[in-house]
Amino acid sequence: VLPERLVKPSPSGREILALCDGERSAVAIAGELRRRHPEVEGLTGDVHEFLASMRRLGVLAPATGPR
């Protein structure tokens, strides 16, 4: 059993998490955020890093396949 942890993501982190619906891939999430925020450089890498950190913390788990 892991100790309880509080994860308090930033506004941009909350925006990423809001798109995690079990249907969208990390690539699709990054694409949607690029569409919303075309002025942000390096967004794709940031999204992938954030999602990886959330997986490491146990906040997210990989989808198990198509529904």
Side-chain angles (χ1 to χ4, degrees):
V1 176
L2 295 173
E4 292 184 29
R5 298 179 191 172
L6 174 67
V7 176
K8 188 173 180 184
S10 66
S12 58
R14 287 192 299 273
E15 188 173 9
I16 295 168
L17 289 174
L19 294 171
C20 294
D21 59 6
E23 298 292 327
R24 291 182 179 105
S25 67
V27 172
I29 291 169
E32 174 59 23
L33 290 170
R34 280 194 316 274
R35 185 189 68 74
R36 293 181 188 183
H37 306 285
E39 73 284 359
V40 177
E41 293 186 26
L43 196 137
T44 298
D46 291 346
V47 168
H48 286 279
E49 284 180 33
F50 177 80
L51 292 174
S53 70
M54 292 296 103
R55 283 191 300 271
R56 281 191 301 276
L57 290 171
V59 174
L60 294 174
T64 57
R67 293 181 181 197

